[in-house]
Amino acid sequence: MTMTPTRTPSTTLSGATAAPGMPPIHRGSMKPQPWLGVTRRLRGETAPADAPWRESAARSAAAPAAWEAAAKTRRRWLLFWVLSATLLSAGLLWSIQPSAGSNLVELAQVALFTLLFAWVAAGAITAVMGFWVTLKGDRHTLSAKDAEGVTLPAEARTAVIMPICNEDVTTVFAGLRATCESLTASGAQRLFDVFVLSDTNRPEVRAAELRAWQTMREQLAAGGSEIRVYYRWRQLRTRRKAGNVADFCRRWGRDYRYMVVMDADSVMSGDTLVTLARLMEKNPRAGILQTAPRACGHATLHARAQQFASRVTGRLFTLGMQFWQLGEAHYWGHNAIIRVEPFMKHCGLGTLPGTGALAGEILSHDFVEAALMRRAGYEVWLVGDLEGSYEQQPPHLLAELQRDRRWCQGNLQNARLIAEPGLKGVHRAMLATGAMSYVSAPLWLAYVVLGAGIWMHSNDDTVPTLLTHRSVITLWITTGLMLALPRVLGVWAVLRRGEQAAFGGTVQLIASSVLEALMSALQAPIRMAAHSLFVIGGLTGWTLEWKSPPREASDVSWTEALRRFGPLTAVVAVALVAVSSVSPATTLWLLPMGLPLLFSVPFTVLSSQGALGQRLRDAGWLTIPEEVRSPAVLRQAWHYAQLYANLPALATALLSDLPRLAALAMKAVGPRHTGQGLRGEARRQRMLQLSRNAQDAAAAEQLHFLNEPHSLRLLHAATAGQAMPR
């Protein structure tokens, strides 16, 4: 594929010229994919013979890659070990039932246990695979080392796009500036353009984005960078992030061979971006290359525990998934590079038919786009050994659950696509496991409730009798080992590789792992209760506010925590008292889940405190390598975050510096001829009204004016008592 580079006139950062702030539009097509759905598939319907993905999929099938045979073998072994461990444990549970098979409640409990143990076993075995890769490597996977010696031709241009929506402006532009400077230092800046794609609908945030964007451009130019950074705001916010990316592709996708998608909290080094482009050049069958972003940046206890877990234990899960997925991997929606042409041709997302909460726009687009890209014959790889890709964790538990509520509904919705024609078996499984990651919460809750019911109605209601049963002890030990194994292997892998100094030392590494495991055990029941409510809401159609979690760290107040978790605490307390009055022994069955829920309010408040997290960091606890020796791009991002946080804020879009706003809007969108004809006259009259009371302008109207520099100049003239320009 040959690309014709598109260049725009250089813009004078002082504002002396009125050159457009965006490159010329070079329109392309990105048609949504129609969905058949499970019902139509069961009736035997299939995709049309001329479906766009069939031809490229046939070419790929005609010449299978070498890794595909290895992937089949590895997946069979994964399935074998999961089934073996699950059947053994289910048999043990069945053997200790008081009257096995005669009670439907006991049968239901065994069925739930079998399903949930298989879920736990799959995770543990994936971690074992990751441990093996950590020690031995993997010759079949795609590695960052494969990019060595690859030269990027002039036509291999890459767009770095950052879709944002009402995000923390400081986080966005501090990380983006550090990324741009690192890209400039790599020497490949002429092959990359950067786009900030805003869906923000709050005028004061939009005005702050304009200010930060212009400040960043001035600072980059002052540092000698020639990288082009564009800012676009969408007036029609359709299909959320996926729609924002698709809008970019339709306007400018034909000008670029690749695009790197970043989140609002993403930071990537220039060498990483160049390596991704080189890997794409070397592997023409690759459609998506996903990095493994490293979590860092927040100092709260909750975030630090999550960051530590992702580096010690999460790394094994990442490498384990890479081991059995190979060229049919996940796409996580950010910190990844995408081949633009097949993405535009095959990954347009249609609306899910029907009514209800699981119909309508695709919410969690990333897994679906990976499945569609692979269906078309292009490979999707997780490049687990590529350094220089970073993201932030939610700063506290409330922010994490706010994010999970969005993900829950999206993953439940994606389960409707499991039967779509042409999808690979691995991606069907990923769509199913994505839903299972949240459905498992109410299943665990049902298992606990059934267990309590069986215990309450058993003939022998004494704890010692049950504890002396060998099968019970064996079952508990097996389940505990499955849950603890990934953490043990994670610490062992760090020690085997001699990396303990990067985690504060051997003693701090082990102690931090114990602390993180304890925090995870305390948080698990809270997550289970919250996810259960999310699943019920997703299936019943409760209103979902699609809102990004906060990127900036802030302590959770006691009032906020009590408002969120107070009702849940009260319900649990009443339930425990009621159960203990009927069967005191059964209370012991419920305490591992009930106690964390009783203390959810103080636990949430304490784990959100940045001061407590900082004290632990000073003591060497929950340390990650990026804190011991911070990469240059992260140091710059953290430094710029402090600078941007101290910039004067633009309080509102209409009452702040109107000439400045008009100049910034001109740079972002270019001249807009909106002062002609009847509509132009109507605008002038409206500006006269607002000059008397600017507070009358609604937020939508303010946003509209921020996309019309001429309207802002009219308002400034009317406010200053000057003649209004035409």
Side-chain angles (χ1 to χ4, degrees):
M1 177 176 62
T2 303
M3 292 286 186
T4 303
T6 300
R7 290 288 185 267
T8 60
S10 60
T11 304
T12 302
L13 295 178
S14 63
T17 67
M22 297 297 288
I25 294 175
H26 191 189
R27 288 202 178 274
S29 174
M30 189 169 178
K31 295 180 180 179
Q33 300 291 315
W35 308 114
L36 284 180
V38 176
T39 303
R40 294 174 61 186
R41 285 286 287 163
L42 291 175
R43 292 201 301 259
E45 296 186 42
T46 185
D50 60 348
W53 52 268
R54 287 194 180 278
E55 181 180 353
S56 54
R59 288 198 302 268
S60 175
W67 59 265
E68 294 187 56
K72 290 180 181 179
T73 301
R74 294 175 179 187
R75 293 163 193 170
R76 292 191 185 106
W77 278 111
L78 173 66
L79 186 61
F80 169 78
W81 287 114
V82 170
L83 289 177
S84 298
T86 302
L87 292 175
L88 177 62
S89 298
L92 283 173
L93 181 62
W94 181 262
S95 68
I96 64 174
Q97 296 298 323
S99 52
S102 62
N103 191 315
L104 290 179
V105 175
E106 295 175 0
L107 185 62
Q109 189 197 31
V110 172
L112 282 174
F113 176 84
T114 302
L115 178 60
L116 293 169
F117 191 89
W119 178 250
V120 173
I125 294 167
T126 296
V128 172
M129 291 178 169
F131 180 73
W132 175 267
V133 173
T134 299
L135 300 184
K136 302 295 184 180
D138 186 358
R139 63 187 179 89
H140 289 290
T141 194
L142 195 64
S143 168
K145 298 177 182 179
D146 297 333
E148 295 176 359
V150 178
T151 301
L152 289 176
E155 60 270 17
R157 302 188 62 233
T158 301
V160 179
I161 66 173
M162 179 180 279
I164 59 176
C165 181
N166 297 321
E167 301 285 358
D168 179 62
V169 176
T170 296
T171 299
V172 169
F173 287 93
L176 192 59
R177 179 183 172 187
T179 299
C180 289
E181 289 182 343
S182 182
L183 188 56
T184 299
S186 73
Q189 61 175 326
R190 292 186 178 275
L191 294 176
F192 291 80
D193 290 342
V194 179
F195 291 78
V196 180
L197 307 173
S198 176
D199 269 354
T200 293
N201 62 356
R202 293 168 53 193
E204 69 278 9
V205 178
R206 170 90 200 286
E209 289 172 0
L210 282 168
R211 171 69 177 272
W213 168 71
Q214 175 63 5
T215 300
M216 185 183 73
R217 293 173 75 228
E218 292 172 347
Q219 292 165 338
L220 288 173
S225 175
E226 298 179 0
I227 195 167
R228 295 165 293 276
V229 183
Y230 303 110
Y231 173 90
R232 166 167 164 74
W233 176 73
R234 283 203 305 167
Q235 288 183 299
L236 299 176
R237 300 170 61 226
T238 59
R239 301 178 185 271
R240 299 180 175 87
K241 179 180 176 180
N244 203 352
V245 173
D247 177 80
F248 165 82
C249 289
R250 283 189 292 267
R251 288 171 175 265
W252 299 288
R254 294 176 64 188
D255 294 331
Y256 300 95
R257 182 174 292 182
Y258 313 119
M259 66 177 178
V260 174
V261 183
M262 299 178 67
D263 250 1
D265 57 7
S266 296
V267 177
M268 297 182 73
S269 72
D271 289 340
T272 299
L273 293 170
V274 173
T275 299
L276 286 172
R278 286 173 173 166
L279 285 174
M280 277 291 199
E281 280 295 300
K282 186 173 182 179
N283 299 275
R285 296 177 62 160
I288 301 176
L289 301 183
Q290 173 68 63
T291 67
R294 295 184 172 180
C296 54
H298 281 318
T300 65
L301 175 58
H302 174 82
R304 288 182 55 74
Q306 296 297 301
Q307 291 166 184
F308 179 85
S310 71
R311 292 306 310 275
V312 177
T313 308
R315 177 167 62 176
L316 298 189
F317 286 116
T318 298
L319 294 177
M321 288 189 299
Q322 181 189 47
F323 182 79
W324 61 262
Q325 290 173 351
L326 292 180
E328 295 173 338
H330 288 81
Y331 165 47
W332 295 327
H334 59 92
N335 292 46
I337 191 169
I338 298 174
R339 195 176 299 272
V340 176
E341 184 183 46
F343 183 81
M344 292 176 62
K345 187 174 182 180
H346 303 293
C347 297
L349 301 181
T351 300
L352 279 172
T355 58
L358 302 186
E361 298 176 1
I362 298 288
L363 300 180
S364 295
H365 58 93
D366 37 19
F367 280 22
V368 181
E369 289 163 344
L372 296 179
M373 184 70 83
R374 181 58 187 143
R375 179 174 74 170
Y378 289 87
E379 298 168 358
V380 181
W381 287 93
L382 173 60
V383 190
D385 64 343
L386 183 56
E387 307 282 344
S389 177
Y390 308 99
E391 64 175 348
Q392 288 182 348
Q393 288 288 337
H396 48 72
L397 184 58
L398 291 183
E400 177 191 309
L401 294 178
Q402 181 179 322
R403 178 200 65 184
D404 285 353
R405 188 182 182 192
R406 299 185 302 137
W407 287 2
C408 175
Q409 185 167 338
N411 280 275
L412 291 176
Q413 186 188 56
N414 288 351
R416 293 186 57 188
L417 304 176
I418 290 176
E420 288 300 309
L423 297 186
K424 299 296 184 179
V426 170
H427 282 113
R428 296 188 199 276
M430 289 180 194
L431 296 176
T433 55
M436 182 61 185
S437 62
Y438 292 96
V439 173
S440 61
L443 294 181
W444 275 115
L445 183 60
Y447 175 76
V448 171
V449 172
L450 287 175
I454 292 173
W455 202 339
M456 290 175 65
H457 291 88
S458 64
N459 295 326
D460 191 348
D461 192 31
T462 60
V463 177
T465 299
L466 192 58
L467 291 181
T468 55
H469 200 299
R470 287 187 180 180
S471 297
V472 174
I473 296 175
T474 303
L475 187 63
W476 285 2
I477 291 176
T478 302
T479 305
L481 286 176
M482 283 292 183
L483 292 171
L485 184 60
R487 286 182 170 83
V488 174
L489 291 179
V491 172
W492 189 6
V494 171
L495 296 175
R496 284 288 303 269
R497 292 168 63 92
E499 299 173 339
Q500 55 267 37
F503 294 89
T506 301
V507 174
Q508 286 86 349
L509 170 67
I510 296 174
S512 297
S513 297
V514 173
L515 174 61
E516 185 277 322
L518 177 62
M519 288 187 62
S520 179
L522 292 173
Q523 288 178 329
I526 303 174
R527 291 190 179 103
M528 180 185 67
H531 290 179
S532 297
L533 291 175
F534 297 162
V535 170
I536 294 172
L539 295 177
T540 59
W542 283 354
T543 301
L544 172 65
E545 181 185 5
W546 192 271
K547 182 181 178 183
S548 298
R551 308 289 182 182
E552 70 280 8
S554 59
D555 293 358
V556 175
S557 67
W558 286 93
T559 302
E560 178 66 11
L562 189 62
R563 185 178 71 84
R564 296 293 184 94
F565 291 130
L568 178 63
T569 301
V571 170
V572 171
V574 171
L576 287 176
V577 170
V579 171
S580 64
S581 65
V582 177
S583 173
T586 305
T587 309
L588 291 178
W589 171 267
L590 297 176
L591 280 182
M593 181 184 72
L595 280 179
L597 292 174
L598 287 177
F599 293 97
S600 58
V601 171
F603 183 74
T604 299
V605 172
L606 292 175
S607 64
S608 75
Q609 294 181 351
L612 178 57
Q614 186 60 49
R615 285 198 293 271
L616 287 173
R617 177 177 178 176
D618 294 340
W621 287 60
L622 300 175
T623 301
I624 58 175
E626 285 73 20
E627 294 171 335
V628 174
R629 187 174 182 179
S630 301
V633 68
L634 280 182
R635 292 198 304 270
Q636 291 296 88
W638 296 336
H639 172 66
Y640 295 148
Q642 296 178 346
L643 295 182
Y644 284 115
N646 295 326
L647 285 176
L650 294 173
T652 65
L654 294 181
L655 295 180
S656 299
D657 185 3
L658 290 172
R660 170 74 165 168
L661 276 176
L664 292 178
M666 177 72 77
K667 291 180 183 298
V669 305
R672 295 283 179 89
H673 303 291
T674 57
Q676 307 298 320
L678 295 177
R679 295 182 65 183
E681 182 61 31
R683 281 185 174 83
R684 280 188 288 276
Q685 294 301 319
R686 180 57 177 157
M687 294 306 114
L688 285 172
Q689 294 175 3
L690 293 177
S691 66
R692 304 184 188 99
N693 189 2
Q695 297 290 357
D696 288 346
E701 190 173 28
Q702 295 183 41
L703 287 167
H704 189 70
F705 294 152
L706 281 169
N707 220 37
E708 293 183 350
H710 182 70
S711 294
L712 292 174
R713 290 196 299 269
L714 288 175
L715 180 58
H716 172 63
T719 304
Q722 302 172 357
M724 299 180 70
R726 292 187 175 272

